[in-house]
Amino acid sequence: MDSAATWGDDSPEIETLELTTKGRYAVMAMADLAGHAEDGATPLSTVAERQSLPLAYLEQLFVPLRRSGLVESARGRSGGYRLAKPAEEISVADIMDAVEEDTRFTRCSHNDPRCSSVTPCVTHGLWSALSETTGTFLASVRLADVVAGGRYSARSRSASPLPMRATVGRTYLDFNATAPLRAEAKAAMIEALEIVGNPSSVHAEGRRARSMVEAARESVARLVGAKPSEVVFTSGASEANAWALSQPWATILTSGIEHDSVLAPTRAAGAEIVMLPVGPDGVIKVEDVAGLLTSPGIVRPAIIAVQLANNETGVIQPVAEIAELARAHGIKMHTDAVQAAGRLAIDFAALDVDTLAISAHKFGGPKGVGALVIRDHVDLVPLLRGGGQERRRRAGTENVAGIAGFGAAAEAALRDLTAINVVGALRDGLEAEIKRISPNAVIAGEGASRIANTTAVALPGKLAETLVIRLDLAGIAVSAGSACSSGKVGASHVLEAMGLGHDIASSTIRISLGGTTTKDDIAAFLAAWKTIVGAPALAA
């Protein structure tokens, strides 16, 4: 039922039955709840794991399922979802109706005179009868028929259960979400895990742990062109951004294309917020910033927060020029350099910013560790208190193993910057082929300077979430925007801030390459893309 016929230009405009992602996933999830009804309420994360389904998509589907009275939610420690009726009382047709899945085999175009209710085409009766038969069949099948022991269960037709999905090679093209752990980082972490001492202790074991932390600090400083004394380790870039923006600012100037880890603390700071305009190319114009800074409404103390490279489009911002303006007007400057680190040569001193945030896992380090680089003589009120770690700037025993992996990854990323043009050539070839296969595709920020690994491509009229899921089923890992916003289904705030419109913003996926990406990976993506973009019902 997933395949659809193709029709030439001379054929009447009809639509064949293809169960879209929402229909298939809704039935699978409901069957899972029916099969585990004795367990009571089940978290959607458990359903997603058991059925290999995307959690974010299930969360979206269960809204209409609950509204239709097919499931009910339970709160508390045993919270989750359960069937609102016995499995024997819920039909597959009920589920299809709830998620607005069209199960008619064909519907003739209302605008095609060759086939309408008044002048039906020669085969209209055939397809209408098949449509009615299909609807009758789906209405006759109950959830109880699908689960184990039911007449349509997989186990009733085979001596052994069928695998959920064939084991195939995967192609990972989501490096902006997280890069695979580098071998150097893994080795450093294993070595650090053997160290017993607390880096704040004065004995030999403590000094050994301290030396590992400080060696990593030097490596991270080299990656971003800073002094080791300017590097303060954090739990990641979200903490680093929040720390920089949680100071007692009267005014914060930022833009709508920033990562949520910048926008959220900005909104929570209680300061006056000034949004910097962004062009359709995704670039903040220096002259626009200059005009705003000369206005009398900028109350001090103030800070400008502008990312070095965008996480969705890869567009590079003129941070050094904006920082120069900020300094001339007595305003501080923060930059989120998370996506730039390891993909762009960074010189903290030359950028002339006051603070800079980076995260280890974006360039092959471990997750859960990052840094805020703070210019010497810039004093920040600590975000975390309770200890004297990190020169009394950030309390909490240092994550020695994570920091060791961070340092090793920073050294490797700095070394591999010489090969970034190879990644860029792969990205450029990928974009050229995407536009050849799908001429209506839109590359966001295509005309601007971008980091070499990132492509944000939109197919107007096609939901990004569905594209991501279909690529995943084809063995390709990409994303629909920031991974830190997983579970949030909707249009990209970055692309909307660029003024590209809701249609583009809701249909854009992000493809991000890394140093281990090969031509075969690109070929695998393009093969899947060619198949997927030509399939009907993508916008469901």
Side-chain angles (χ1 to χ4, degrees), residues 12-15 106-117:
E13 185 183 339
I14 65 174
E15 296 184 19
T106 182
R107 57 183 182 270
C108 296
S109 171
H110 297 297
N111 301 317
D112 194 327
R114 292 170 293 180
C115 187
S116 68
S117 58

Side-chain angles (χ1 to χ4, degrees), residues 274-286:
V274 177
M275 298 304 292
L276 304 174
V278 180
D281 59 354
V283 179
I284 299 170
K285 303 298 188 290
V286 176

Side-chain angles (χ1 to χ4, degrees), residues 59-432:
E59 290 171 341
Q60 185 184 25
L61 288 175
F62 268 68
V63 174
L65 289 172
R66 183 166 60 86
R67 191 181 299 130
S68 299
L70 299 182
V71 297
E72 56 188 16
S73 59
R75 301 184 180 276
R77 296 184 62 183
S78 59
Y81 284 90
R82 57 176 172 257
L83 298 182
K85 307 175 184 178
E88 294 79 5
E89 297 180 14
I90 300 176
S91 70
V92 173
D94 292 335
I95 300 169
M96 296 295 187
D97 289 342
V99 298
E100 299 181 349
E101 175 69 277
D102 193 342
T103 57
R104 288 175 292 173
F105 188 81
T106 182
R107 57 183 182 270
C108 296
S109 171
H110 297 297
N111 301 317
D112 194 327
R114 292 170 293 180
C115 187
S116 68
S117 58
V118 178
T119 57
C121 66
V122 66
T123 57
H124 182 85
L126 170 65
W127 305 129
S128 294
L130 181 56
S131 178
E132 292 175 7
T133 302
T134 302
T136 302
F137 169 74
L138 293 177
S140 72
V141 178
R142 307 290 162 169
L143 275 182
D145 296 327
V146 180
V147 299
R151 52 182 172 150
Y152 296 114
S153 71
R155 295 195 181 192
S156 69
R157 294 167 173 254
S158 174
S160 59
L162 297 175
M164 193 63 70
R165 183 185 299 170
T167 302
V168 295
R170 298 281 302 172
T171 297
Y172 187 76
L173 299 176
D174 201 15
F175 280 73
N176 284 14
T178 193
L181 186 67
R182 292 176 181 266
E184 300 94 331
K186 183 178 181 179
M189 293 174 72
I190 291 172
E191 180 183 353
L193 288 170
E194 298 296 328
I195 296 176
V196 175
N198 184 314
S200 295
S201 298
V202 297
H203 47 60
E205 289 81 0
R207 293 196 302 274
R208 186 181 174 203
R210 171 56 55 191
S211 68
M212 183 163 281
V213 169
E214 296 310 317
R217 198 185 309 275
E218 292 177 2
S219 297
V220 172
R222 279 192 291 272
L223 177 65
V224 297
K227 303 174 187 175
S229 61
E230 294 174 319
V231 176
V232 180
F233 290 119
T234 65
S235 64
S238 291
E239 179 190 332
N241 284 327
W243 185 10
L245 295 167
S246 67
Q247 305 303 302
W249 306 114
T251 306
I252 299 176
L253 298 92
T254 190
S255 76
I257 60 172
E258 300 298 317
H259 190 273
D260 282 337
S261 66
V262 167
L263 294 176
T266 294
R267 290 189 290 264
E272 183 72 23
I273 300 173
V274 177
M275 298 304 292
L276 304 174
V278 180
D281 59 354
V283 179
I284 299 170
K285 303 298 188 290
V286 176
E287 53 269 30
D288 290 338
V289 179
L292 283 170
L293 295 187
T294 57
S295 66
I298 307 299
V299 181
R300 275 62 166 180
I303 188 171
I304 299 175
V306 171
Q307 61 197 183
L308 191 49
N310 186 262
N311 51 294
E312 294 187 26
T313 65
V315 170
I316 299 169
Q317 300 299 332
V319 168
E321 293 89 336
I322 295 173
E324 183 179 3
L325 281 173
R327 195 162 298 282
H329 288 82
I331 295 174
K332 299 296 184 182
M333 179 79 187
H334 170 71
T335 189
D336 173 358
V338 167
Q339 296 296 346
R343 297 169 186 140
L344 193 68
I346 299 175
D347 187 334
F348 180 67
L351 285 176
D352 205 24
V353 297
D354 295 284
T355 51
L356 177 150
I358 55 173
S359 182
H361 74 100
K362 301 298 187 181
F363 50 82
K367 303 173 184 68
V369 62
L372 183 64
V373 185
I374 307 171
R375 180 170 299 283
D376 278 347
H377 310 301
V378 171
D379 293 325
L380 298 183
V381 178
L383 187 65
L384 298 180
R385 304 173 184 271
Q389 293 86 356
E390 295 300 285
R391 296 171 62 185
R392 298 190 179 280
R393 293 178 291 188
R394 198 268 187 185
T397 300
E398 292 91 343
N399 174 7
V400 178
I403 289 170
F406 189 4
E411 287 286 350
L414 184 60
R415 175 200 68 209
D416 291 347
L417 267 177
T418 57
I420 195 64
N421 288 339
V422 175
V423 177
L426 286 174
R427 192 274 310 271
D428 293 345
L430 169 67
E431 290 183 352

Side-chain angles (χ1 to χ4, degrees), residues 25 51-54 162-168 170 469 472-473 475:
Y25 285 9
Q51 301 300 326
S52 299
L53 300 177
L162 297 175
M164 193 63 70
R165 183 185 299 170
T167 302
V168 295
R170 298 281 302 172
I469 291 168
D472 182 40
L473 293 173

